Amino acid sequence: MKGFRKFLYSQKTAPYVFVLPFILSFAIFWIYPLFSAIIMSFQDIGAISADWIGFANYQKLLKDKVFHTAMLNSAEYMLGTLLLLIPFPLLFAVLMDSRLVKAKGVWKALLYLPALTSVVISGTLFRLMFTEYPTGQMNVLTQMLGLGTFKWLKIKTTSMAALLIVCCWRWTGVNMLYFLSGLKAIDVSLYEAADIDGANGLQKFKFITIPLIKPTTIYVLTISIYAGLAMFLESYMLWAGNSSPNNIGLTIVGYLYKRGIEKNDMGYACAVGVVLMIIALTINVVQLVANGTFKSDKED
């Protein structure tokens, strides 16, 4: 017992003891499910048996038009979030970091508050807002403008706009705080030197802020790519289920849920999940290489 305590409290052992809970949880809840899903994607899983079928599930995916629709919807949603949730939160962060905005703490709290709201509640509220009935808030607004009423969640363009509005409402404040933390790390003396040299606000933003906030931008870009491709619950709540007209709101994760949970085809669902993982990893690796994240110090 004394020897075990000495071993446990030694300086060489202590670091491994502290990281052991993380390693165990990572192995049990991430590594093991990952390899299990990859193996299951090559199987036809029934109620009491699992038969090895090779690449049959992946071959089926190539011809599955519903999967292609879901993949296209997720790609459009991801691109929309990247176009909205990187430049605008950055501009808001710059404003918050300037002297132009008063009561900064209040604005930060108001912008971050939607992220704390349950997706179930917010999705239900936005579904009522975008309802096709004349009493819906969006139709009330369009009627005031003389545009009539719309079936917002039954049209491809307006339904994607509704999803993006929900996303921006929830995550603009979060991304703004990420950028704000990056701005706080920039040395103020750089801006003071730029003022002495006669640089205006736009020049300081272009030549100081943008380059020095690049690590934060890459981080926000990386998590936004994953979040865009993995979106499910917002769509599920907006259409009150996993069924939308002509699958205009179906995402890759939604299709995974449909095949794995609703139709009990776990092997095929795992194949969908593996493809999603490969797509997300590929896009992120490409953008990280393009942004120079993997460059060594010698290359720099």
Side-chain angles (χ1 to χ4, degrees), residues 2-290:
K2 185 176 181 181
F4 176 74
R5 183 176 297 178
K6 183 179 180 180
F7 171 77
L8 191 62
Y9 285 99
S10 66
Q11 292 183 353
K12 293 182 178 180
T13 308
Y16 298 100
V17 174
F18 282 114
V19 300
L20 184 60
F22 168 76
I23 294 175
L24 288 176
S25 61
F26 182 74
I28 295 172
F29 297 106
W30 200 89
I31 297 296
Y32 174 72
L34 174 62
F35 282 99
S36 296
I38 293 175
I39 293 172
M40 291 168 65
S41 69
F42 295 99
Q43 297 176 334
D44 180 16
I45 301 174
I48 58 175
S49 63
D51 300 322
W52 189 267
I53 57 174
F55 289 93
N57 286 327
Y58 293 97
Q59 293 173 351
K60 186 178 178 181
L61 276 178
L62 294 176
K63 302 176 182 179
D64 192 340
K65 294 183 179 180
V66 180
F67 172 72
H68 298 162
T69 300
M71 189 164 58
L72 181 61
N73 290 340
S74 292
E76 291 177 354
Y77 178 82
M78 180 198 69
L79 291 174
T81 57
L82 295 182
L83 293 174
L84 295 172
L85 286 178
I86 291 181
F88 290 106
L90 175 58
L91 292 177
F92 293 156
V94 171
L95 286 174
M96 287 292 175
D97 197 44
S98 68
R99 300 177 181 177
L100 299 176
V101 178
K102 304 299 181 182
K104 297 179 180 179
V106 176
W107 288 109
K108 291 177 187 177
L110 290 175
L111 287 170
Y112 188 77
L113 190 61
L116 303 177
T117 307
S118 168
V119 184
V120 176
I121 296 174
S122 59
T124 303
L125 292 176
F126 275 94
R127 183 172 72 248
L128 296 174
M129 183 185 300
F130 285 96
T131 182
E132 62 186 78
Y133 297 112
T135 54
Q137 285 89 339
M138 293 301 296
N139 276 334
V140 170
L141 178 61
T142 54
Q143 288 178 89
M144 291 174 59
L145 297 174
L147 300 176
T149 59
F150 296 89
K151 295 182 179 180
W152 299 92
L153 300 180
K154 292 184 178 179
I155 304 172
K156 173 68 175 178
T157 53
T158 54
S159 62
M160 183 58 65
L163 283 171
L164 292 174
I165 290 172
V166 175
C167 181
C168 291
W169 177 79
R170 292 199 70 222
W171 299 115
T172 296
V174 176
N175 286 357
M176 182 198 71
L177 292 181
Y178 286 141
F179 284 118
L180 195 57
S181 65
L183 291 174
K184 295 297 183 182
I186 299 177
D187 192 349
V188 180
S189 62
L190 296 173
Y191 293 106
E192 295 174 351
D195 289 331
I196 294 174
D197 292 336
N200 56 35
L202 183 60
Q203 290 173 328
K204 288 187 289 184
F205 179 75
K206 181 179 179 181
F207 296 107
I208 298 177
T209 303
I210 294 296
L212 293 182
I213 208 172
K214 182 180 178 181
T216 306
T217 305
I218 293 174
Y219 172 75
V220 174
L221 177 61
T222 302
I223 62 175
S224 297
I225 289 172
Y226 168 76
L229 291 174
M231 187 272 292
F232 165 63
L233 193 54
E234 289 86 346
S235 173
Y236 189 90
M237 293 309 304
L238 209 57
W239 276 274
N242 205 25
S243 299
S244 55
N246 297 320
N247 294 317
I248 58 176
L250 184 66
T251 64
I252 301 179
V253 179
Y255 189 56
L256 187 155
Y257 179 87
K258 182 187 289 289
R259 296 305 299 251
I261 304 300
E262 296 178 0
K263 296 187 178 181
N264 197 29
D265 190 357
M266 291 302 298
Y268 194 73
C270 287
V272 174
V274 171
V275 171
L276 172 60
M277 180 187 68
I278 293 173
I279 292 173
L281 282 176
T282 302
I283 295 175
N284 270 320
V285 169
V286 169
Q287 68 91 5
L288 289 172
V289 171

